[in-house]
Amino acid sequence: MPFREIFFENFLLRASHINTLNDPFEMEPSIEWWANLFLELKHYRFGQTKEEIFSYIRMQNLNSPWRHLGTDLFKDHGIISFTETKDNILMWSHYSNNHTGIVIEFDLAHPFFSKKFIEKEHNYLGNPQKVLYRKERLISSDYLLEPYFHKSSDWIYEQEYRMLLKLSNSDKILIHKDYCDKKFEDECVFSSYKEELEKINENFFEIRNSYNTSFLNNPNTMFMFKVSPDAIKSVYLGCRMKDEDINKLIELKEREDLKHIKLYKSSIHDKRYELNFFEI
């Protein structure tokens, strides 16, 4: 992630809604998956055979809700994404601001990841699950939200784990000042909630004490979950990180709630396309 000092003040992680993800195949199982689902449930509105349902789906625009046969299976959840590795050069380039940012190592045994959001009847909710990479899109699944954990093998370099969460459980709902305009208020914030749109710093507003489904359709709305600082094990610093940011992290580590965290600086290997790490 890019280095943001504010993370070490609020410890907020964003759960990304389907509307904010950059892969058009996210939560897009095969049309056969949809046909199998509706035929199994005996919903024949869009056809009584697979071929009839295939034909209906193929007529729909990619952005049309009718491509999912009018359902909203994937509307109420979001994902926090993690990776298995700290030394993938592409990941540092794509997600840590060209090696100027950081990688945070979390303790998956911490209750935030292993207990807080777990649901007994849905054991895939609330704890990080490994993403499965494949060329073929899902035809069938063991549970309705399984498409969250399947991606094209083109993404395998990310070695991703996903933590699937109900967005209604978020600790804060934020929106950047650039998108917090009258149009947003009119479309997404009920008139009775206008006084609950509160500026929290120079860049962000928080939507307080309210949650409605209009927020889900706005890609600029951010659903944030607060992780405890004692869930953080280590912080790895990019090889291009600015000295002032390095010094700031060293200073932050002196805080009582962060003293347990180890800091590692990365550097480029002398001979190979690899990153080295050393503790500071």
Side-chain angles (χ1 to χ4, degrees):
M1 62 187 289
F3 172 63
R4 300 186 185 97
E5 184 179 349
I6 194 171
F7 171 77
F8 295 96
E9 297 172 6
N10 59 33
F11 301 101
L12 294 176
L13 297 173
R14 182 181 184 179
S16 299
H17 186 259
I18 183 175
N19 288 337
T20 67
L21 300 174
N22 61 2
D23 180 359
F25 290 95
E26 293 282 8
M27 278 58 80
E28 284 289 344
S30 68
I31 58 175
E32 189 165 354
W33 186 90
W34 288 105
N36 287 337
L37 174 64
F38 271 65
L39 292 176
E40 181 182 343
L41 296 175
K42 294 182 170 52
H43 289 293
Y44 301 121
R45 176 181 176 185
F46 304 100
Q48 297 193 12
T49 67
K50 283 187 179 182
E51 288 69 28
E52 289 175 348
I53 297 176
F54 290 171
S55 178
Y56 181 86
I57 294 175
R58 286 175 178 139
M59 290 190 298
Q60 308 307 314
N61 182 282
L62 181 61
N63 298 319
S64 170
W66 298 107
R67 188 174 175 82
H68 289 178
L69 304 180
T71 69
D72 54 7
L73 286 180
F74 309 119
K75 181 186 72 174
D76 297 324
H77 295 81
I79 54 171
I80 302 178
S81 294
F82 305 91
T83 183
E84 291 183 17
T85 178
K86 64 181 183 298
D87 55 5
N88 186 296
I89 297 171
L90 282 177
M91 292 291 283
W92 275 97
S93 298
H94 295 166
Y95 297 107
S96 287
N97 201 15
N98 297 326
H99 295 256
T100 65
I102 59 176
V103 167
I104 297 176
E105 180 185 9
F106 291 102
D107 178 8
L108 295 188
H110 188 276
F112 180 87
F113 300 103
S114 62
K115 184 182 295 184
K116 184 175 182 179
F117 302 104
I118 299 292
E119 296 186 9
K120 290 182 179 179
E121 62 274 24
H122 304 299
N123 59 10
Y124 52 85
L125 278 177
N127 63 319
Q129 303 284 321
K130 187 177 179 63
V131 170
L132 301 177
Y133 300 99
R134 50 195 292 168
K135 278 296 184 184
E136 299 295 326
R137 289 156 70 183
L138 274 179
I139 294 175
S140 61
S141 57
D142 295 329
Y143 53 95
L144 283 177
L145 298 183
E146 188 176 347
Y148 273 103
F149 303 105
H150 286 253
K151 292 199 64 155
S152 163
S153 55
D154 291 336
W155 296 89
I156 196 169
Y157 76 94
E158 291 192 342
Q159 298 181 59
E160 185 180 2
Y161 275 70
R162 289 182 164 183
M163 188 173 181
L164 184 63
L165 298 162
K166 291 181 178 177
L167 295 176
S168 57
N169 289 333
S170 62
D171 294 298
K172 291 182 183 292
I173 304 175
L174 305 180
I175 184 166
H176 194 275
K177 65 178 182 181
D178 291 347
Y179 305 105
C180 189
D181 52 19
K182 188 176 186 305
K183 182 175 184 292
F184 171 78
E185 290 190 2
D186 290 344
E187 293 182 356
C188 295
V189 184
F190 296 138
S191 58
S192 59
Y193 291 142
K194 296 237 176 136
E195 68 277 6
E196 297 176 3
L197 198 60
E198 180 175 322
K199 187 172 184 178
I200 58 172
N201 59 39
E202 62 180 12
N203 290 317
F204 288 95
F205 285 81
E206 178 181 355
I207 304 166
R208 293 184 181 272
N209 304 319
S210 62
Y211 175 88
N212 68 70
T213 55
S214 300
F215 301 150
L216 300 175
N217 299 320
N218 189 314
N220 304 307
T221 306
M222 298 185 294
F223 298 87
M224 313 299 291
F225 290 76
K226 185 171 184 176
V227 63
S228 174
D230 60 8
I232 301 173
K233 295 175 66 175
S234 308
V235 179
Y236 295 84
L237 288 58
C239 60
R240 290 177 169 176
M241 195 171 195
K242 297 177 182 177
D243 288 343
E244 61 192 82
D245 291 337
I246 295 173
N247 293 333
K248 174 56 68 175
L249 269 172
I250 293 173
E251 180 183 330
L252 286 169
K253 188 183 180 301
E254 295 304 310
R255 275 184 10 207
E256 192 62 35
D257 60 340
L258 298 176
K259 281 186 176 180
H260 66 285
I261 295 174
K262 292 185 177 182
L263 296 181
Y264 296 90
K265 180 70 170 64
S266 65
S267 62
I268 60 174
H269 194 281
D270 290 338
K271 297 181 180 180
R272 297 192 292 272
Y273 292 109
E274 295 178 8
L275 295 172
N276 298 319
F277 297 92
F278 57 92
E279 189 171 357
I280 57 176

